[in-house]
Structure formats: structure tokens, C-alpha cells
Amino acid sequence: MLNERMVALGTQRSVIRELFEFGKQRAAEIGAENVYDFSIGNPSVPAPDAVNETALKLIQEMNPVILHGYTSAQGDAGVRKMIADSINTRFNSSVGADNLYITVGAAAGLCCCLNGLCNPGDNVIVFAPYFPEYQVFIEGAGASMNLIPADIEAFQIDFEAFESALNADTKAVIINSPNNPSGAVYSEETIQKLAAILEDKSAEYGHPIYLITDEPYREIVFDGTVIPYIPKYYKNTLVCYSWSKSLSLPGERMGYILVPDEVEEQAQVYAAIAGAGRSLGYVNAPSLFQRVCAMCADMTADISVYETNKNLLLHGLRDMGFHVVEPGGTFYMFPRTLEADDVAFCERAKEYNLLIVPGVGFGCPGHARISFCVQTEMLKRSLDAFEKLARSYRS
Ligand code: PLP
């Protein structure tokens, strides 16, 4: 008898993947230029040249036995030191190599944190709209997900709903700002309020409630928006970072977990995360790209195109009558759908060769996600298709 949960996870294709496959099929039928694929969050700009140059230099100059050998399970010590220095310069913090655990992307970082923290019966709070894999990761760690409905006016936090959801079994809260799929950035005020509630409730229940902050989009922000450095606001914070989006390296699978000294019983928490990494086989992230990312940690790809795309799409959609909360970052927009049934809306969008993702899978029906990490020229052409879709609801 197989593990039925795993069979189910391995069999069901995600809605996003289904759309992506549909897009390929449609492109073969009518030409790729006539399909407006906004389904997937794959960066559309290349990694900076320095990434390839650094990789080549390392391959040419470093001892191959070391370069291609195992590193420490938690990542090479020199690499962790370089990343710690970069964090300290940017956030005026004082983290060291031993506060970091290198992972294959934020996905593995989240899994290590959740498996390290959770016991059966624990629950983890998530705010809608949310990255759907959270549920898979949380349940994989033996805990259950407690979903807080979205504040659809601003995609901040509905604090009343949040406070009533907290209980003695709450082990952790996951936040993701800038957010996939809404693009919302939590304001400093939101973070302060969240931190105050978590302090109070941790004291009331007699155990820490950890704040896991999932930050793959930290650098992709618009109009000079600043993302608060969360450990400064709440001591029991674990940061899951990734270079997938900022350096346009999703296929290289590189990120880290930061466990700051301020975390209560930091050494124990770090050990639990390292233990989870060991038990899941998430040890020794790829050696070459550990080094490349550490050496390029202060760079980003040319992410300015996302702001250009955001402005074009936002104004275009609003002119057509869509209700959209302006994204503060990421490359996602999450307009309200023109009928309550977001799945039906996205099906109708397909008739205009627009591939967008229903909000229901993100815990927020009545909306659709548009991934605007696409060529600007394609986005401009797609506006006509969006207009036709909107018009079909007017008539
Ligand atoms: N968290 C969020 C909110 C994401 O959008 C993604 C990827 O799209 C991830 C985590 C996983 O990122 P990584 O490629 O670093 O595993």
C-alpha cells in the first residue's frame, strides 16, 4: 500500500500547470504570439551577467574537488559568512554564519522551518490570499493550516479574524510580503500590530509563536517601497529567503533560512531546523550556486521591467472597469473577477487566449492572478484581449 497522500499530490496537476500546458497546446494551434500566457511566475528577465561570469570563474579557478564536493550540511561556512555580511550591511543587523542555513530555494526553507517547529496537533496560521504550496508544506510537517480570510480592500491583515484564530496550538504564522498573488506589501504599521499580538499571545500561552516570513520577492518592489526587516519587529522570526526571483535563478534552487540570535533558545531552534533538513534530505545545497549566490548576494536582475509592466497593466485594467488593488511589489496582480465565479471567469478568459489563474486556489475566490513577468510588448498586445473580455460582460 502506497502513501495515498503522496499519490494524490503526485497525480493532481496544479491549476497553474494545467493552464501552462493548455497554453503550449494553444500556441501550437494559433501561434505563440496569439496566446497571452500570464499563468506562471517564472522571471522574464535574465540573471545579471555577473552570475554567469562568477560561475565560470569559479569553474575555471577553484579546486574542482572542493567546488563539486559536499559542503557542510547547513552550507559552506565561508558562503554563510558572506551572506551574513550582506544582510548586516543592508539591514544594519549583526547576524553571523551560524545564523544561516542554506537551502534549495524558499520552498525547502519553509519545509525545514515547519518540520523543525511543528508537532502533531499544532496549527499554522496563513493569510489569504496565499501561495498554495503552504498547505502542502504544513500538512507535510504533520500540522494543520488555519486560513484567515482575505482583507479584499487592501490585502493587509484582518486583525479581528487573526486574533480569534490564534489558540494554544498555534505554533507559527506565515507571512509573505510582497505577496504572491496580490502583490501587496505589508505596511510597517501592519507588522508592528502583528508583532504586538504575537508577543501578547505567546506570553498568554506560555510558548513562542514563531513568525515565518517568506521573502522571495523582497527586492521586487515599486515606487521606492521599503520592506521592513521583520526580525527588528518581532524576536521569534525565521526568515526564508530565495534568489529565485531577485536574481532570476528559480532553476538553480538557492535560498537560505535566517535564525537570528534574538529567537528564544536560538541554538535549539537552529538545531531543529538543521534536523528537519537532515530528515528531509535538504542538506548541502548545490555547492557551485551556493558560492555564486553569496558572491552576487547584493545584486538583482534588471527587475525594472516589472514596474513598467505593473503600470501598463494596472492603468489598462482600471480603464476597462476592473477593480484592482495596486501591487506594491512582485510581478503579480490580483484583480476582482467580473463575475463572482472566478473559475468561470478564467475559463471565459481562455476564449480570448488569456491565461490567468482563478483566485480560489489562493484562498480568495472572486479574483484572478495575472503573472506579469512577461515581455512588455506581449503585455501591451494583450490589453485588447482583456478589453474584449471585459466587453463580453458589459453586453
Ligand atoms: N513562496 C512564494 C510566495 C512563492 O511565490 C514561491 C515561488 O513562486 C516560493 C515560495 C518558492 O520559491 P523557491 O523557488 O525559492 O523555492
Side-chain angles (χ1 to χ4, degrees), residues 140-344:
S144 57
M145 182 172 87
N146 196 346
L147 186 64
I148 310 299
D151 150 27
I152 61 167
E153 295 310 320
F155 295 124
Q156 295 288 309
I157 290 179
D158 176 346
F159 281 105
E160 219 174 291
F162 173 54
E163 285 200 72
S164 54
L166 284 160
N167 61 52
D169 293 327
T170 305
K171 181 53 68 71
V173 173
I174 301 180
I175 57 170
N176 167 225
S177 166
N179 179 267
N180 174 8
S182 70
V185 169
Y186 286 162
S187 65
E188 187 180 30
E189 196 192 346
T190 295
I191 299 298
Q192 282 166 333
K193 207 163 164 186
L194 177 67
I197 294 169
L198 291 177
E199 291 288 358
D200 281 359
K201 292 290 178 180
S202 296
E204 183 183 330
Y205 301 137
H207 64 79
I209 301 172
Y210 298 94
L211 183 58
I212 301 174
T213 170
D214 178 25
E215 304 190 350
Y217 302 96
R218 166 173 273 285
E219 283 76 23
I220 305 179
V221 285
F222 310 131
D223 306 316
T225 302
V226 174
I227 305 294
Y229 176 66
I230 312 292
K232 287 242 155 82
Y233 296 81
Y234 184 63
K235 65 180 175 185
N236 286 311
T237 294
L238 306 175
V239 180
C240 293
Y241 183 77
S242 155
W243 284 282
S244 290
K245 317 289 171 164
S246 60
L247 277 180
S248 290
L249 291 176
E252 302 302 345
R253 316 299 307 125
M254 199 55 61
Y256 63 76
I257 305 165
L258 169 63
V259 189
D261 282 339
E262 290 73 15
V263 170
E264 281 170 57
E265 300 190 50
Q266 192 273 350
Q268 282 293 96
V269 173
Y270 187 93
I273 286 169
R278 181 178 170 193
S279 119
L280 294 165
Y282 290 152
V283 289
N284 187 166
S287 168
L288 169 60
F289 266 83
Q290 280 191 41
R291 296 166 211 278
V292 171
C293 286
M295 292 164 84
C296 299
D298 294 327
M299 300 172 195
T300 65
D302 180 8
I303 51 182
S304 60
V305 67
Y306 301 136
E307 185 151 10
T308 306
N309 287 1
K310 185 267 293 183
N311 288 330
L312 277 167
L313 188 60
L314 181 73
H315 297 129
L317 291 181
R318 282 184 172 167
D319 287 348
M320 292 169 208
F322 281 91
H323 180 285
V324 197
V325 175
E326 180 168 357
T330 73
F331 36 57
Y332 306 110
M333 204 170 284
F334 203 52
R336 280 188 203 164
T337 50
L338 297 177
E339 61 179 301
D341 183 343
D342 49 295
V343 176

